[in-house]
Amino acid sequence: MLVAFWVTTSALGTVVCCILYATQLQWSKRQNLPPGPPRVPLLGNIHQLPQSYQYKFFVQWAERYGDVVYAEFFTRSTIVVSSVKAACDLMEKRSAKFSERPRFVRIREMIGWTGNIGWRPYDDTWKRQRRWFQQLLISASALKSHRPLQEHEVRRLLYDVVQHPADFISHIKRYAASLILEIGYGHTVTSVEGDEFIQLVEAGIHEVFGGSGAGSALVDFFPTLKYIPAWLPGAGFKRAALMAKEAIAATEDIPYKSVKDAMAAGVAKPCFTTAMIQDCLKKGALTFEDEDDIKGTAATLYAGGTDPIVTTITVFVLAMVQHPDVFRKAQEEVIQVVGEERLPEFSDRTSMPYLENVLREVYRWRPAVPTAAPHMSSEDDVYRGYYIPKGSMIIPNLWAMFHDPEVYQEPETFNPERFSGMNVDRYDDPRRIVFGFGRRACPGRYFADNSVWILAASLLATMDVRKARNARGEEIAASPKFHGGTVIRPEPFVCDIHPRSEKSRELILAGKDIVTAQL
């Protein structure tokens, strides 16, 4: 009995010591968390966040606590990263530890938007989708194959601007939507307002993001809330999620079914969806998982591609209106390369370094997505001596990176010349990081950048863009407010946009037959 007692006591003592040691170790680690704002029980720091323009609020944290800030949103550990170096150190150099996504309870589990590669965990399905993007959108051969479409759609936009210059923002939207839907589904867009596919997809995306952004809904912090019945008072989020679920299902199913029907009839145009279907058919009949992956991957193109392209081009036009000296200098460079008889081509890009700097400044000055999609740490880590707990949400604050006065003097000033004397490397080129970091960087980044460049160069080659004037001949200032959300965009503004010469008008109108022809 005595021996048994001592054995039991010794075992219990060992267990207690292990628990105390683990507790002490965990407490010691948490003592080494990155600096950050004081937290309150349960809420953490969530009560401090504003409803909008959170990226600017994070800048205040960075100014006070540094470029790596620790906060807690309810019970979730969060690291806000505000420098390019820290972002690259964590999400690129340590990508094995920082390539996961948070759980995204609302978007993935309630709405069921599981096929979107942006929200997927770092799993085999994500790798399969990434392979498709690599083959069909990222590779040099894929990018080259899309150039005729991009040049064709630019001609359409220029023609539309000549016909209806006041609707230039609508023309930009049609340009971006046409590119994505043609590549994704082989679907040709004639107008934004009357296109069934655009209205369908836009409605689905609005239902998803009409409430909370990715990973920021209350249910993302308290997953058990998803089990609350939709009929209960206060369960409006549940009813909204059910509506969004139906909208996203339609967004994925209807365009996909259209392509499948066209393939069965032998009239389908080659596109992203037909290529993925053919890839899966090499192994036999399509499975449910195959179709789910294909639908989600194709829908990702529109959801992730249109808004950033539209916003970047709109900001480019706004910057040219506000800075006529920059516009003239960029225009002179483009005309010197292409002359009066043709439109810019992709082979001209290396001959236009100043335009390259203008676009760098557009990306930096008003990035379409001010905070990149959050990453998550898949294991404990230590960075600069700071403890980063497993499961922490990592928020890259691109706005802070692009408005750091130590890197960019007078960051609120639009100044392309800042890059002329700068050794633009991985850390200094906004174009290289505006699309995200590491394995989670946007798979459409090169296509999007090419789409922005060819349109910017073509506008400069053929159009004059300046401030509009009122009935008294007075200039109307174009200084719109920027809406702060997942994607920031300027409010509609007016400008005077017209062919810069009669030769330019003739060049644009001469392409009418090309514009109306099918590719």
Side-chain angles (χ1 to χ4, degrees):
M1 290 289 292
L2 187 60
V3 172
F5 171 78
W6 281 112
V7 169
T8 303
T9 303
S10 177
L12 287 173
T14 301
V15 170
V16 170
C17 287
C18 289
I19 292 173
L20 290 174
Y21 174 76
T23 302
Q24 172 66 23
L25 183 62
Q26 187 67 21
W27 181 86
S28 176
K29 286 181 177 180
R30 293 191 68 83
Q31 290 297 104
N32 292 323
L33 291 169
R39 303 178 291 279
V40 299
L42 185 60
L43 293 178
N45 303 101
I46 196 72
H47 63 293
Q48 300 173 0
L49 286 184
Q51 290 296 312
S52 58
Y53 303 102
Q54 293 177 357
Y55 53 92
K56 290 189 177 181
F57 181 77
F58 289 151
V59 170
Q60 298 176 24
W61 278 359
E63 291 172 348
R64 183 168 183 179
Y65 301 106
D67 60 336
V68 179
V69 174
Y70 179 84
E72 290 181 2
F73 300 148
F74 293 110
T75 58
R76 175 180 287 173
S77 297
T78 303
I79 308 292
V80 181
V81 179
S82 297
S83 74
V84 179
K85 185 174 189 315
C88 291
D89 285 347
L90 293 175
M91 288 169 282
E92 295 194 348
K93 295 179 181 178
R94 307 186 190 192
S95 59
K97 297 180 181 180
F98 293 95
S99 292
E100 269 293 357
R101 287 292 196 218
R103 188 174 169 182
F104 293 141
V105 176
R106 178 177 177 271
I107 288 179
R108 287 184 46 78
E109 299 176 25
M110 295 181 67
I111 295 175
W113 202 0
T114 58
N116 189 308
I117 192 173
W119 319 133
R120 284 208 66 83
Y122 187 67
D123 56 11
D124 290 339
T125 297
W126 181 89
K127 294 175 183 177
R128 181 191 205 189
Q129 292 177 311
R130 188 72 177 190
R131 176 174 61 82
W132 281 334
F133 275 112
Q134 177 63 43
Q135 294 172 348
L136 305 172
L137 200 63
I138 300 177
S139 69
S141 60
L143 290 171
K144 187 175 182 179
S145 72
H146 297 317
R147 289 179 178 179
L149 172 65
Q150 291 166 312
E151 292 171 348
H152 178 270
E153 292 301 333
V154 162
R155 284 185 175 274
R156 288 184 64 187
L157 181 139
L158 294 175
Y159 182 81
D160 289 343
V161 169
V162 170
Q163 302 301 313
H164 304 285
D167 299 330
F168 69 95
I169 293 180
S170 178
H171 302 325
I172 293 170
K173 291 179 179 178
R174 188 214 55 79
Y175 169 76
S178 295
L179 291 174
I180 301 298
L181 290 176
E182 190 74 50
I183 288 175
Y185 302 104
H187 174 73
T188 301
V189 175
T190 56
S191 71
V192 172
E193 292 77 13
D195 191 275
E196 178 185 2
F197 274 24
I198 291 179
Q199 301 308 315
L200 176 72
V201 177
E202 288 287 347
I205 295 173
H206 175 76
E207 288 291 344
V208 173
F209 293 115
S212 302
S216 62
L218 187 63
V219 70
D220 289 312
F221 301 103
F222 299 102
T224 54
L225 292 177
K226 72 177 184 177
Y227 299 110
I228 292 177
W231 50 264
L232 277 180
F237 75 95
K238 187 71 175 284
R239 295 188 289 274
L242 291 173
M243 292 176 61
K245 185 181 183 73
E246 294 179 3
I248 287 300
T251 294
E252 293 188 345
D253 292 343
I254 293 176
Y256 173 74
K257 184 178 183 301
S258 176
V259 173
K260 278 194 71 178
D261 291 346
M263 291 180 71
V267 295
K269 291 193 288 186
C271 62
F272 206 64
T273 301
T274 59
M276 289 186 290
I277 290 174
Q278 291 164 355
D279 182 63
C280 292
L281 287 175
K282 294 175 183 178
K283 301 177 296 182
L286 290 175
T287 66
F288 173 82
E289 289 76 14
D290 289 335
E291 295 199 293
D292 201 42
D293 292 348
I294 293 169
K295 287 187 289 187
T297 306
T300 299
L301 277 175
Y302 193 95
T306 50
D307 272 353
I309 291 176
V310 170
T311 295
T312 302
I313 295 173
T314 305
V315 170
F316 167 77
V317 174
L318 173 63
M320 296 303 95
V321 173
Q322 293 180 334
H323 302 277
D325 54 332
V326 174
F327 174 80
R328 289 300 177 199
K329 185 174 180 179
Q331 187 178 63
E332 289 171 4
E333 178 185 71
V334 172
I335 295 171
Q336 185 176 9
V337 174
V338 304
E340 301 276 354
E341 306 298 329
R342 68 177 178 89
L343 292 175
E345 300 170 353
F346 284 99
S347 58
D348 298 320
R349 186 163 188 174
T350 56
S351 301
M352 302 178 185
Y354 185 70
L355 175 56
E356 213 66 46
N357 288 340
V358 170
L359 294 180
R360 287 187 176 105
E361 185 70 345
V362 167
Y363 286 132
R364 184 206 66 81
W365 183 56
R366 293 293 183 267
V369 182
T371 55
H375 291 224
M376 187 183 76
S377 56
S378 56
E379 58 183 89
D380 289 345
D381 196 20
V382 176
Y383 178 63
R384 298 181 186 170
Y386 296 132
Y387 170 57
I388 299 179
K390 177 182 178 180
S392 294
M393 182 166 65
I394 315 298
I395 300 178
N397 188 5
L398 296 177
W399 182 273
M401 299 176 199
F402 292 152
H403 290 76
D404 182 351
E406 294 187 5
V407 180
Y408 306 105
Q409 291 184 2
E410 300 180 358
E412 279 298 321
T413 301
F414 186 87
N415 177 25
E417 274 75 10
R418 72 173 77 249
F419 294 105
S420 298
M422 184 181 291
N423 181 20
V424 183
D425 60 12
R426 182 68 181 85
Y427 293 128
D428 297 327
D429 190 348
R431 189 180 55 200
R432 296 184 182 180
I433 62 173
V434 74
F435 296 104
F437 298 91
R439 301 174 188 178
R440 287 292 185 170
C442 173
R445 58 194 181 277
Y446 303 121
F447 174 80
D449 181 58
N450 282 347
S451 300
V452 168
W453 181 87
I454 190 66
L455 178 49
S458 299
L459 285 173
L460 290 167
T462 60
M463 297 287 179
D464 272 339
V465 180
R466 60 185 66 164
K467 293 178 182 178
R469 294 181 180 273
N470 59 25
R472 296 188 298 273
E474 300 166 336
E475 288 187 342
I476 302 173
S479 301
K481 178 181 178 182
F482 279 77
H483 294 287
T486 304
V487 176
I488 61 172
R489 58 177 62 84
E491 292 179 342
F493 60 93
V494 296
C495 70
D496 177 10
I497 180 169
H498 59 270
R500 67 178 186 83
S501 67
E502 189 56 35
K503 279 192 174 182
S504 295
R505 180 186 295 275
E506 291 173 358
L507 178 63
I508 293 170
L509 296 180
K512 180 179 179 181
D513 293 339
I514 298 175
V515 167
T516 56
Q518 296 285 332
L519 276 178

